Amino acid sequence: MPPPPRAALRRLLPTTGLHPLRRRAPPPPQVDESPLPDPYALLVHDPIDLLSSLWRRAFAHPLPAPFPNLSGYASRLDLWLLSYQRACAHATGSFPPRQAVPLPTLHSLLRLRAAALRRHPAFPWGASTHLLLRSPVDTPSTVPVARHKLADRLANAPPPFQDHVVQELLLLLLEPVFEPRFSPKSHAFRPGRGPHTAIRSVRSGFAAYLWFITADLTTVVDALSSDTILSCVEKSVSDRKVLSLLKSALNAPVRPGSVPPREQDPDGLTKKRLKRKALRKSRKKKVLNEDEPKPEPYWLRLFFGFAPEQACHVPDFGHCGILSPLLANVCLNELDWWMEERIDEYFRPSRHDSIWKEAGDQGCHNPSWPEFVPSSGKEKTRKMDFLRFGSHVLIGVRGPRQDAVEIRSQLMEFCERTFGLRPENSAVEIEHITRGIEFLDHVITRRVIYPTLRYTASGGNIVSEKGIGTLLSVTASLQRCIRHFRKLELVKGDRDPEPLPCSPMLYSGQAHTNSQMNKFLETMADWYKYADNRKKIVGFCAYVIRSSLAKLYAARYRLKSRTKVYKIASRDLSRPLRESTNNDAPEYSDLLRMGVVDIIEGVQFARMSSIPSCDYTTFPRNWVPHHELVLHEYIKLQDPKFFCELHKTIKRQEISSPQDDVSRMVWHYKVYGVYDNNRSSKKLNEWRSNEEAVSGDTQLLLDE
């Protein structure tokens, strides 16, 4: 049979916009057409138990050797279902129950698991068509779309939902493997650690340092190559399937439209246009769809606007998504342990010094010195310490400035040698403690104090002398706070800020508005919990919020000034404000009793005495989070050698366990009719002495 002509073949082929004989559309990803197993027969384990066993194995595994097998955990459908639930919680705002996941979704998870664990071909990261798993909020579209519009949509499509599920699974598997290998000096993107632990570490361990090195390694972290990241991961993970999946996520091309654009400072005209557009959008009433998640409350959006500069930047590598911060910590962990070695090498104790005569990490220094320490000198102990929050490093040096300059150059050389990129000179700075070092919106500085020292001299004379010392001060930055308020358009001006009305709460009731602002003030009081000027900074925040609400209520209820608002609603704005002065209107107390209105909470911290003081609770140098303590204790109790040593110690110290006491008591009672020979004799002597004393008292009473 002769082949059909090209015209007939062109009519038979679908119209795709491509020449049928020159270019062909890329084939869809291969899908295993074999019958799927019953997913309900595979859901036999509790995912929390599986993850707990993984955490125990990771903390009990010897650290130098890489963790061997993760494919066994990656093939568990229970963990895939948990990853799907976590991804749904991020997409919809609600965590779906395990029993509510339908059977087609479980089948899709099985196909996704097979595609992710198959090494050839690689997993299709960033796919826009032929998806294996769809988001629960994705609705099928039946509206015809033009060809060029469809091409634009596919090119600018966001990362698919199935990528988030795989990223969640990798995070669940890799986080317990790397946590015991991380340095305790790292405080960002880790469970149980955060900005508060970093600030407390500064307060307890950086008191005697004169020179500080602040390094911003954001450009270095953003420029990390996939080979560098994989080489760091392979030191701790040896599973080939997990490494292959991670490699494909790092090397797969990313569509330009799926990456959010970098924020740039717009010009004045563009800024005004965007401001008017946002104002119109905020005034427009929005009706949420059935599956659309609720927006975050206003107080939480306000608090997120106060995020420190060091915590705003989140690394992003290829298609890794939420796994990127963990990978950044894995790479920077090399820097952490290198700094630990430099700390041990730099330590030079001096017998003429009153602190740090031995290694400080062992907690053998004078515990009364972390807050009050003497000044530095030639005959003082030379010591160094550091901590890292994300890509920001803080190094404290007690010694001459030449040592700080040398450490700075060594740090930059290490980054160039290990990560392939040298940080800029402006990103690594050396500052003296007297100038104040800004870190996490807190200022680290010192104050020179002259305490009176009283002691008893020879001859019994009490001598009073003036001493000199330095006191570490960790205060919240008021200028940063004003800057955040100005960015949120709640104040204007820098030196003498003037509060502005809180326009986003214009259409909310007084009770709801006060409640939202109270939650914000409580969160701010907790954020500045470890600042020396906690009362001052929280009082300023309360003043801004209270004045902003007073201006808002003056505009809403037509009271013309804040003074009239305070006169009617009191200082804390707890009394109700009414729009009408009609006497026929019911009283607020009657409406509250009928349940028509909500109770109005007063704005907190209206008085300085109601603001809590700074929390000076001691922070141990070898502090670890609670979950790590529990893991270490559990692993120790599961070790049979520990029980053998404990049993030998008990026998050596002649301390018997409760089980031994019970067995001895039963045996001696069965054989001798009494409890133990040695102890029974003591008990019998006690009983006889008690009986003699009782009989003597009875005889005296009878004689009387």
Side-chain angles (χ1 to χ4, degrees):
M1 181 177 179
R6 290 196 175 189
L9 184 60
R10 189 178 294 110
R11 286 194 298 269
L12 293 175
L13 292 176
T15 57
T16 59
L18 302 175
H19 198 283
L21 300 179
R22 292 181 182 175
R23 290 185 293 177
R24 295 181 180 178
Q30 298 180 4
V31 181
D32 191 4
E33 298 297 340
S34 58
L36 296 174
D38 184 14
Y40 295 108
L42 301 177
L43 298 174
V44 294
H45 297 284
D46 186 5
I48 304 302
D49 292 342
L50 292 175
L51 292 177
S52 300
S53 65
L54 179 58
W55 279 87
R56 292 195 301 268
R57 283 188 55 196
F59 273 79
H61 188 74
L63 291 184
F67 197 82
N69 182 23
L70 284 175
S71 299
Y73 291 94
S75 60
R76 299 281 188 176
L77 185 60
D78 306 271
L79 295 182
W80 282 93
L81 181 56
L82 178 61
S83 304
Y84 172 79
Q85 292 172 297
R86 289 163 59 96
C88 286
H90 287 289
T92 64
S94 61
F95 193 86
R98 189 175 183 179
Q99 296 79 9
V101 179
L103 182 61
T105 303
L106 297 179
H107 287 162
S108 300
L109 285 175
L110 288 174
R111 298 188 187 93
L112 184 65
R113 182 188 66 172
L117 299 181
R118 183 180 59 239
R119 298 181 63 180
H120 299 289
F123 180 76
W125 292 96
S128 55
T129 58
H130 305 93
L131 299 178
L132 301 173
L133 179 66
R134 294 185 178 273
S135 173
V137 297
D138 286 348
T139 56
S141 178
T142 58
V143 180
V145 183
R147 191 179 306 163
H148 65 279
K149 290 186 178 180
L150 180 61
D152 292 340
R153 288 186 183 181
L154 295 180
N156 299 324
F161 179 76
Q162 63 182 18
D163 288 7
H164 297 298
V165 176
V166 181
Q167 293 163 6
E168 288 282 356
L169 180 77
L170 288 176
L171 182 63
L172 292 176
L173 296 181
L174 295 179
E175 189 176 44
V177 175
F178 288 107
E179 271 299 315
R181 304 168 189 268
F182 284 156
S183 170
K185 308 290 187 180
S186 172
H187 294 270
F189 308 116
R190 296 184 60 187
R193 292 177 170 88
H196 277 175
T197 58
I199 294 171
R200 297 182 71 185
S201 299
V202 169
R203 180 181 294 281
S204 63
F206 284 69
Y209 299 118
L210 299 179
W211 298 101
F212 283 80
I213 305 174
T214 57
D216 183 5
L217 306 180
T218 303
T219 56
V220 177
V221 173
D222 291 340
L224 288 175
S225 62
S226 59
D227 296 335
T228 304
I229 298 174
L230 287 174
S231 63
C232 295
V233 173
E234 288 175 352
K235 295 180 181 179
S236 303
V237 178
S238 60
D239 191 282
R240 291 301 170 189
K241 290 185 178 180
V242 175
L243 290 175
S244 176
L245 183 61
L246 185 60
K247 182 178 180 180
S248 63
L250 291 170
N251 295 329
V254 181
R255 294 191 305 271
S258 62
V259 180
R262 296 278 184 178
E263 293 186 1
Q264 300 179 355
D265 294 334
D267 54 1
L269 185 60
T270 306
K271 191 174 182 180
K272 290 182 179 179
R273 189 182 298 112
L274 293 176
K275 184 178 179 181
R276 289 195 297 267
K277 184 178 179 181
L279 185 61
R280 289 194 302 267
K281 187 176 180 180
S282 63
R283 290 178 178 176
K284 186 178 179 182
K285 185 178 180 180
K286 182 180 179 181
V287 180
L288 299 177
N289 298 327
E290 184 178 358
D291 297 332
E292 186 177 358
K294 293 182 179 180
E296 295 173 344
Y298 179 68
W299 71 269
L300 191 58
R301 297 199 301 271
L302 277 182
F303 178 68
F304 286 162
F306 278 79
E309 182 181 355
Q310 292 85 354
C312 287
H313 180 75
V314 180
D316 189 12
F317 304 121
H319 293 277
C320 293
I322 60 174
L323 195 64
S324 300
L326 177 63
L327 297 179
N329 274 337
V330 171
C331 296
L332 293 176
N333 191 44
E334 304 289 332
L335 173 64
D336 296 343
W337 291 114
W338 177 81
M339 282 298 305
E340 295 278 1
E341 296 176 359
R342 300 286 82 75
I343 289 174
D344 296 337
E345 294 175 0
Y346 186 76
F347 180 65
R348 304 172 194 172
S350 174
R351 62 185 182 87
H352 300 288
D353 206 344
S354 56
I355 63 173
W356 291 335
K357 296 182 179 180
E358 298 180 23
D361 288 341
Q362 299 177 1
C364 53
H365 63 280
N366 190 346
S368 64
W369 284 107
E371 293 272 342
F372 177 72
V373 297
S375 301
S376 178
K378 295 183 179 180
E379 297 183 353
K380 300 299 181 181
T381 299
R382 293 191 178 184
K383 196 176 182 298
M384 179 174 63
D385 202 353
F386 94 105
L387 63 84
R388 181 177 61 83
F389 189 87
S391 57
H392 296 264
V393 181
L394 180 67
I395 305 174
V397 180
R398 192 182 196 220
R401 191 179 187 278
Q402 291 78 5
D403 294 349
V405 173
E406 183 179 356
I407 294 168
R408 175 181 179 272
S409 62
Q410 293 178 2
L411 174 64
M412 300 178 72
E413 292 175 359
F414 176 82
C415 292
E416 185 178 9
R417 182 175 63 255
T418 306
F419 306 129
L421 186 64
R422 185 181 182 89
E424 298 180 359
N425 292 329
S426 59
V428 186
E429 298 180 349
I430 301 177
E431 297 181 359
H432 197 266
I433 183 65
T434 54
R435 297 186 59 184
I437 294 90
E438 191 168 343
F439 188 72
L440 292 174
D441 284 358
H442 288 67
V443 180
I444 307 168
T445 183
R446 72 173 185 180
R447 292 177 293 161
V448 180
I449 57 175
Y450 304 92
T452 302
L453 305 178
R454 294 182 176 87
Y455 59 93
T456 303
S458 59
N461 298 326
I462 299 177
V463 180
S464 298
E465 293 183 355
K466 285 286 186 181
I468 183 173
T470 56
L471 183 67
L472 182 70
S473 176
V474 181
T475 59
S477 176
L478 183 60
Q479 293 301 322
R480 283 282 181 181
C481 184
I482 295 174
R483 193 176 305 172
H484 292 316
F485 272 123
R486 191 172 66 250
K487 188 187 303 182
L488 296 171
E489 298 183 355
L490 289 178
V491 299
K492 63 178 180 180
D494 290 331
R495 296 184 178 180
D496 189 12
E498 176 67 21
L500 298 175
C502 184
S503 57
M505 303 297 291
L506 179 62
Y507 299 105
S508 299
Q510 184 180 357
H512 178 69
T513 304
N514 287 8
S515 176
Q516 291 281 306
M517 294 299 105
N518 279 337
K519 292 178 182 178
F520 169 73
L521 290 176
E522 290 174 1
T523 312
M524 293 299 296
D526 185 71
W527 164 237
Y528 294 117
K529 184 177 182 180
Y530 301 102
D532 289 338
N533 59 342
R534 185 186 185 185
K535 282 182 171 290
K536 178 181 178 181
I537 196 74
V538 176
F540 173 76
C541 295
Y543 159 74
V544 170
I545 295 299
R546 195 169 57 251
S547 302
S548 178
L549 292 184
K551 287 189 174 182
L552 173 68
Y553 295 154
R556 181 193 300 172
Y557 299 107
R558 299 185 179 91
L559 296 177
K560 297 183 180 180
S561 66
R562 284 183 289 174
T563 306
K564 292 185 178 180
V565 174
Y566 289 138
K567 185 176 181 180
I568 299 175
S570 74
R571 181 184 178 88
D572 59 354
L573 306 176
S574 59
R575 296 177 184 174
L577 295 167
R578 292 180 297 181
E579 297 184 3
S580 176
T581 58
N582 188 6
N583 295 330
D584 297 335
E587 294 292 337
Y588 172 77
S589 57
D590 299 335
L591 297 176
L592 182 63
R593 186 166 51 252
M594 291 185 295
V596 179
V597 296
D598 298 329
I599 187 172
I600 300 177
E601 301 177 3
V603 179
Q604 292 189 358
F605 309 135
R607 305 287 180 181
M608 190 67 72
S609 58
S610 62
I611 303 175
S613 302
C614 176
D615 187 358
Y616 291 105
T617 307
T618 56
F619 191 69
R621 185 175 294 274
N622 297 326
W623 176 87
V624 293
H626 180 68
H627 69 276
E628 292 188 12
L629 288 176
V630 173
L631 282 170
H632 288 304
E633 290 293 333
Y634 184 85
I635 294 170
K636 186 187 295 184
L637 293 176
Q638 294 296 319
D639 188 5
K641 295 182 180 180
F642 172 76
F643 274 99
C644 293
E645 294 294 332
L646 183 62
H647 191 68
K648 291 179 182 179
T649 305
I650 290 175
K651 293 298 184 183
R652 193 181 303 116
Q653 297 180 359
E654 298 182 355
I655 301 176
S656 59
S657 62
Q659 292 82 359
D660 294 340
D661 287 341
V662 172
S663 60
R664 190 181 299 111
M665 180 181 63
V666 173
W667 176 256
H668 282 276
Y669 186 81
K670 181 179 180 180
V671 176
Y672 304 107
V674 292
Y675 163 67
D676 202 357
N677 290 335
N678 297 330
R679 299 190 179 185
S680 61
S681 60
K682 295 180 181 179
K683 291 292 183 181
L684 288 175
N685 293 334
E686 293 178 1
W687 293 339
R688 288 173 182 173
S689 61
N690 292 336
E691 289 178 357
E692 290 176 357
V694 172
S695 62
D697 295 340
T698 307
Q699 188 65 30
L700 289 175
L701 291 174
L702 292 176
D703 293 342
E704 292 178 357

